Amino acid sequence: MELVRVLPRRFRPHTVQLIKQLHEDDNGVTAEQVITILHVKADPSYGMQKSKRGITTDDKIIVYIELGDYTAYDENDRVLQYGTDFIISTNDTLKFRDDEYTITGVNEIFLDGTKPIRVEITGK
């Protein structure tokens, strides 16, 4: 088993909610699944930092999820695993504090294996 360095929890004090759009029912109403993810690093000043370096972007937030050390659960308090129970896509919405962000990018970080060790999510 390879040893992967995980950013300590004191640097990942945030909680986000992932709002996944599911299928439409017979009345045309889209069902949602809300997944709460603990122990993440969320940076809502992401777009401002990038623009100072001369890169123009309308992304407003970046969220880092260390897949070796996080907790995710649904509305029924069922613990979920990334890749098995849920994935994150650009159709989803991210809620951090009182703001909602449309996910614009999902970057899975791999080392040598076939499973990602970290997920970086950008949103606007």
Side-chain angles (χ1 to χ4, degrees):
M1 174 144 177
E2 61 187 62
L3 180 64
V4 176
R5 296 193 67 96
V6 174
L7 190 64
R9 282 192 179 183
R10 71 177 175 270
F11 298 117
R12 297 180 288 118
H14 305 118
T15 297
V16 295
Q17 287 186 313
L18 178 68
I19 303 165
K20 296 193 66 61
Q21 301 297 323
L22 302 177
H23 56 290
E24 288 186 2
D25 64 13
D26 294 336
N27 299 325
V29 176
T30 304
E32 291 182 342
Q33 179 186 24
V34 178
I35 300 171
T36 302
I37 307 172
L38 288 75
H39 312 299
V40 303
K41 178 178 179 5
D43 183 357
S45 64
Y46 173 70
M48 289 180 279
Q49 291 174 348
K50 283 194 102 169
S51 62
K52 287 179 188 172
R53 293 195 298 249
I55 301 169
T56 57
T57 178
D58 56 356
D59 289 335
K60 303 282 189 267
I61 190 169
I62 188 164
V63 175
Y64 302 95
I65 303 172
E66 296 282 353
L67 296 179
D69 182 31
Y70 72 101
T71 305
Y73 58 90
D74 63 12
E75 302 98 327
N76 301 318
D77 290 333
R78 192 170 62 99
V79 176
L80 305 174
Q81 290 296 318
Y82 180 81
T84 304
D85 301 314
F86 73 100
I87 59 167
I88 301 168
S89 73
T90 53
N91 297 333
D92 301 332
T93 304
L94 202 62
K95 188 170 183 182
F96 177 61
R97 296 187 176 137
D98 292 330
D99 296 317
E100 284 194 8
Y101 302 90
T102 302
I103 294 177
T104 57
V106 179
N107 185 19
E108 293 181 334
I109 307 298
F110 293 85
L111 279 183
D112 298 331
T114 57
K115 293 178 72 173
I117 60 160
R118 178 179 301 121
V119 177
E120 298 174 353
I121 307 162
T122 52
K124 65 178 179 180

